[in-house]
Amino acid sequence: QANKGIFSQFENHTETKKYVALVETSKVENSTLKKNQNVTVEKYMARVSPKSSGCKMGIVSASYKDAQISKTVFSILKTSPDKTYVLAELFTGRTHQIRLHLSSLNVPIIGDVTYGGKRDSRIFLHCCQLDFIHPISNQKISCKAEVPF
């Protein structure tokens, strides 16, 4: 019963997921992302690469085969001369959603070469918070993880 209750929250997108992404400040300066402002990206997306190759998603029209709506809200957490920390709150949970949405703003994640980011030792994207309702006690559970970069 507990597993079914948690699964249902993820399936219906009633849980809260927040991520931190590290991007190049020079890219942010030429984008719609601004300090003290939320930017919402709500677009249809689908797999655009062949099934036989590595997965690459793309922004597509609503009529595209297997298109699914996706929504992310971004805000800037902090900025240094070369790097900016961006908070991403997911309202849907699509494959590569944050990576694709930031790339669509011309602000790819550092290390994410698939979506236009500068090559690095890793993709600098980290889940920092997950909130859900415990299916038996009905209490809100909040799991937080420090950003390792």
Side-chain angles (χ1 to χ4, degrees), residues 73-145:
V73 174
F74 296 103
S75 59
I76 293 176
L77 292 174
K78 66 180 179 178
T79 301
S80 71
D82 59 336
K83 294 176 184 163
T84 296
Y85 290 80
V86 177
L87 180 67
E89 184 172 354
L90 289 173
F91 289 84
T92 53
R94 310 291 179 222
T95 301
H96 297 189
Q97 178 176 325
I98 297 169
R99 297 167 64 188
L100 179 61
H101 282 182
L102 280 172
S103 181
S104 76
L105 296 173
N106 296 314
V107 186
I109 300 168
I110 294 172
D112 190 4
V113 294
T114 301
Y115 294 99
K118 182 174 83 173
R119 185 173 299 280
D120 209 302
S121 59
R122 60 169 284 183
I123 296 173
F124 285 85
L125 178 64
H126 176 75
C127 182
C128 62
Q129 186 171 341
L130 171 64
D131 299 334
F132 60 94
I133 303 300
H134 191 283
I136 296 181
S137 70
N138 228 20
Q139 290 183 317
K140 181 179 178 180
I141 306 293
S142 185
C143 305
K144 295 182 180 180

Side-chain angles (χ1 to χ4, degrees), residues 9-26:
Q9 290 178 67
F10 280 85
E11 187 176 50
N12 297 316
H13 308 291
T14 56
E15 84 296 344
T16 302
K17 291 185 275 188
K18 294 181 181 179
Y19 288 75
V20 173
L22 190 61
V23 301
E24 293 177 68
T25 298
S26 61

Side-chain angles (χ1 to χ4, degrees), residues 59-72:
I59 302 295
V60 299
S61 69
S63 61
Y64 190 89
K65 182 182 184 286
D66 298 327
Q68 293 183 301
I69 193 67
S70 58
K71 180 180 177 182
T72 313

Side-chain angles (χ1 to χ4, degrees), residues 32-40 73-76 87:
T32 56
L33 276 178
K34 304 293 178 217
K35 200 159 181 95
N36 302 318
Q37 282 185 344
N38 288 343
V39 173
T40 301
V73 174
F74 296 103
S75 59
I76 293 176
L87 180 67

